Amino acid sequence: MSYPPPQAGYPPNQQGGYPPPQQGGGYPPPQGGGYPPPQQGGGYSPPQQGGGYPPPQQGGGYPPPQQGSGYPPTQQQGNFAPNQPGAVQHQPWQPNSGESAQPGYTGDDVPDSDPEDNEDAADDAGPDPDISKIGGVQGYEQVGLNDWVPPPPQYVPPEDYTKPPEQYSEGAGLSEQEARDAMIQFVAEHCCYGKKPAQEHVIKAIKPSTAFHYTMETFLESRSTKWVHTPYRGQVIDGPQNGYPPGPWDIVCTCSDLFQDQVERIEVPHTAKVQQCHSCYGRGFKRCPRCHGRGRVRCSSCHGRGHKRRYDHQTKQHHNETCHWCHGSGRRRCVRCGGDGRVTCNVCDGCRDLKWYIQLTVKFEDMVSDHVTERTDMPDELIKDAGGMVIFQQTLIRVWPITHFTDPDVNANSQSLVQYHTSTYERAGRILQQRHTLRNVPVFEIDYKWEEVNTRYWVYGNEHRVHAPDYPHQCCWGCVIL
């Protein structure tokens, strides 16, 4: 069902519409329609014939507009759902027991007069959905509006799963000229550093050492389910009548790349159902939040007075001038609803029905932990981003810790991180792969002398980065920092 294209201009004003401005400008109060004053008890009574909202007709959908209504005639009369396999036919809306015939249009929040124009008025979200009305699905009885995490399947190691041998590579050295060039480059990257110490310093000793950066990764798959909804537009419904839904871990879902974060959302088969929209009670529209259903708002230019106070510089007197925004009426047509007082439901998008189904969310996450072994006074955090050489790497379903490396600190931390990942992430999801990597990052501590200063700096990583906290000229001559 769709609306015909808009016609040029406004249609002639019939009974219940807006009459043209009278002499002096402005819109007089609407006659023969609109919204009557609130009844005793603070409610908002349904409008009378000649404007407002007519009661729902047999067959559902929007009833044919009466004379003076704001909506053009629809092209199709009757049910909204098209004749497709699995499509659900609409039924006329009827209030439940104890439910108001005009839900959402009663209460103390309905103003007695046109409200102040509020451009930021948010759409009413309506009441929360009642999951009990949807009905349970076999195997998904615990699923609600929030994520429910099913327990992952138990890991069974494959047969003949043995530990492979550990093999390591070696690193490289650093010459005196490479150390000097690294210091000159380091000073060039700092505008306030003086160049003379970098060019004239005398290297007394180069002490090579090796830092090890160990990284443990677990590629984890976790799954969660919850009820979600989307506007029902007549699409085919795969409901429980087509069979039993598969379990959360029985649905096939694969990732495109290992050790890369990825999220997939899948509709669980045979769980879809069609329910009346809980937000608009199956009407397809709701009260306009900007004008509270009245169709007009108080003019923001004159604040509802219909005129403005002006000062005439020639006569040196104040006088009242008719507001040109509202033509003296003090009210303006609501731009949110076009003066109709209602807007399309933001939950069902005007379709009146919602398709509910259980959504399976599959997350592939790379869980990373690392440790740095470095025995100089240089900060260990610098090693993590420095370039090095991979001397050991294994990728298996379950990795074994390193036990035969020459540095005992690497062996101890590898065992600790592997045990932590296995015990922690087996409960959080299904472990698809594990990978641990050991990098060799070269570190050189250089003792040097410049004039009367004896100090040191470090050159580390394959890029020959420099860490020189005691550089003599950290602020060059003539440099003024404002």
Side-chain angles (χ1 to χ4, degrees):
M1 180 180 69
S2 61
Y3 295 113
Q7 307 297 326
Y10 288 105
N13 291 291
Q14 306 295 332
Q15 183 183 3
Y18 296 139
Q22 305 298 324
Q23 186 175 4
Y27 290 101
Q31 306 295 327
Y35 297 94
Q39 306 298 321
Q40 187 175 5
Y44 205 91
S45 61
Q48 305 298 324
Q49 186 175 4
Y53 308 143
Q57 307 295 322
Q58 181 71 23
Y62 288 122
Q66 307 296 325
Q67 187 176 9
S69 63
Y71 281 96
T74 56
Q75 301 294 329
Q76 180 180 357
Q77 177 69 20
N79 294 329
F80 171 81
N83 295 324
Q84 294 184 3
V88 177
Q89 299 298 319
H90 286 274
Q91 299 297 328
W93 179 85
Q94 296 293 338
N96 298 325
S97 59
E99 184 179 32
S100 171
Q102 293 285 341
Y105 290 82
T106 60
D108 297 334
D109 60 335
V110 179
D112 296 336
S113 60
D114 293 324
E116 194 74 32
D117 190 8
N118 182 13
E119 297 181 0
D120 300 328
D123 291 339
D124 183 15
D128 294 331
D130 187 0
I131 297 299
S132 62
K133 294 183 179 179
I134 302 177
V137 177
Q138 184 174 355
Y140 293 87
E141 292 81 5
Q142 296 178 332
V143 178
L145 296 175
N146 298 321
D147 288 334
W148 174 67
V149 180
Q154 186 176 3
Y155 169 71
V156 178
E159 298 180 358
D160 300 332
Y161 194 58
T162 57
K163 180 179 180 180
E166 299 178 10
Q167 297 179 353
Y168 307 97
S169 303
E170 297 295 335
L174 181 73
S175 66
E176 181 175 329
Q177 184 61 41
E178 290 175 334
R180 190 180 302 277
D181 294 341
M183 173 61 82
I184 294 175
Q185 179 63 30
F186 169 75
V187 172
E189 296 174 355
H190 295 75
C191 62
C192 291
Y193 280 24
K195 298 181 180 179
K196 292 188 65 177
Q199 297 172 346
E200 300 175 359
H201 73 279
V202 178
I203 296 178
K204 299 169 59 178
I206 298 178
K207 303 175 183 177
S209 63
T210 302
F212 299 103
H213 183 205
Y214 177 78
T215 305
M216 176 66 192
E217 299 175 84
T218 295
F219 191 53
L220 184 69
E221 176 187 2
S222 60
R223 300 192 174 196
S224 61
T225 56
K226 66 178 180 180
W227 281 102
V228 297
H229 59 76
T230 186
Y232 175 66
R233 308 181 189 275
Q235 60 267 41
V236 177
I237 300 300
D238 181 15
Q241 70 276 3
N242 294 331
Y244 294 110
W249 289 98
D250 296 333
I251 299 175
V252 178
C253 182
T254 58
C255 61
S256 56
D257 296 313
L258 290 176
F259 302 101
Q260 295 292 329
D261 292 350
Q262 185 178 342
V263 178
E264 298 289 341
R265 292 178 174 86
I266 305 172
E267 177 182 341
V268 178
H270 314 325
T271 60
K273 298 180 180 181
V274 175
Q275 296 287 334
Q276 176 182 282
C277 178
H278 59 275
S279 183
C280 65
Y281 300 92
R283 293 169 176 247
F285 58 86
K286 293 191 292 188
R287 182 180 62 184
C288 176
R290 190 167 183 174
C291 65
H292 299 280
R294 299 186 65 86
R296 293 191 175 187
V297 294
R298 191 176 299 116
C299 179
S300 58
S301 180
C302 65
H303 303 285
R305 293 189 297 268
H307 61 272
K308 295 182 179 179
R309 191 76 170 168
R310 298 293 187 185
Y311 178 75
D312 193 340
H313 292 278
Q314 295 180 353
T315 62
K316 307 296 182 179
Q317 293 181 353
H318 288 85
H319 67 279
N320 291 334
E321 181 182 86
T322 301
C323 177
H324 66 278
W325 285 99
C326 63
H327 305 287
S329 67
R331 300 184 299 169
R332 296 175 61 188
R333 180 178 299 192
C334 177
V335 297
R336 178 76 65 88
C337 63
D340 185 68
R342 57 185 180 180
V343 294
T344 302
C345 177
N346 59 331
V347 176
C348 67
D349 200 19
C351 296
R352 302 186 296 133
D353 283 340
L354 297 174
K355 172 190 174 183
W356 285 88
Y357 62 94
I358 295 179
Q359 178 179 270
L360 173 67
T361 302
V362 184
K363 292 183 179 180
F364 299 97
E365 299 175 278
D366 186 25
M367 318 304 291
V368 183
S369 302
D370 63 349
H371 177 77
V372 174
T373 299
E374 205 279 316
R375 292 181 171 84
T376 69
D377 295 336
M378 189 181 71
D380 293 345
E381 294 297 322
L382 299 177
I383 298 298
K384 294 183 179 182
D385 297 330
M389 183 176 63
V390 176
I391 61 176
F392 174 80
Q393 187 176 70
Q394 276 186 354
T395 302
L396 299 169
I397 300 178
R398 296 289 192 278
V399 298
W400 282 270
I402 295 176
T403 56
H404 294 84
F405 191 63
T406 55
D407 195 317
D409 185 70
V410 173
N411 296 333
N413 284 281
S414 174
Q415 183 175 359
S416 175
L417 290 180
V418 169
Q419 183 179 359
Y420 169 78
H421 274 238
T422 302
S423 60
T424 301
Y425 298 123
E426 275 189 345
R427 298 190 299 266
R430 178 165 58 186
I431 298 178
L432 300 180
Q433 290 283 331
Q434 286 185 333
R435 177 174 66 187
H436 58 163
T437 305
L438 182 62
R439 294 192 309 120
N440 181 347
V441 180
V443 177
F444 301 93
E445 182 178 338
I446 300 171
D447 296 333
Y448 72 98
K449 179 181 179 180
W450 181 75
E451 294 184 350
E452 301 298 326
V453 177
N454 289 282
T455 184
R456 58 181 177 171
Y457 64 91
W458 289 265
V459 177
Y460 63 97
N462 293 341
E463 310 94 336
H464 290 173
R465 300 182 183 181
V466 173
H467 175 65
D470 300 327
Y471 187 71
H473 279 185
Q474 295 190 17
C475 184
C476 61
W477 297 102
C479 177
V480 178
I481 301 177
L482 299 179

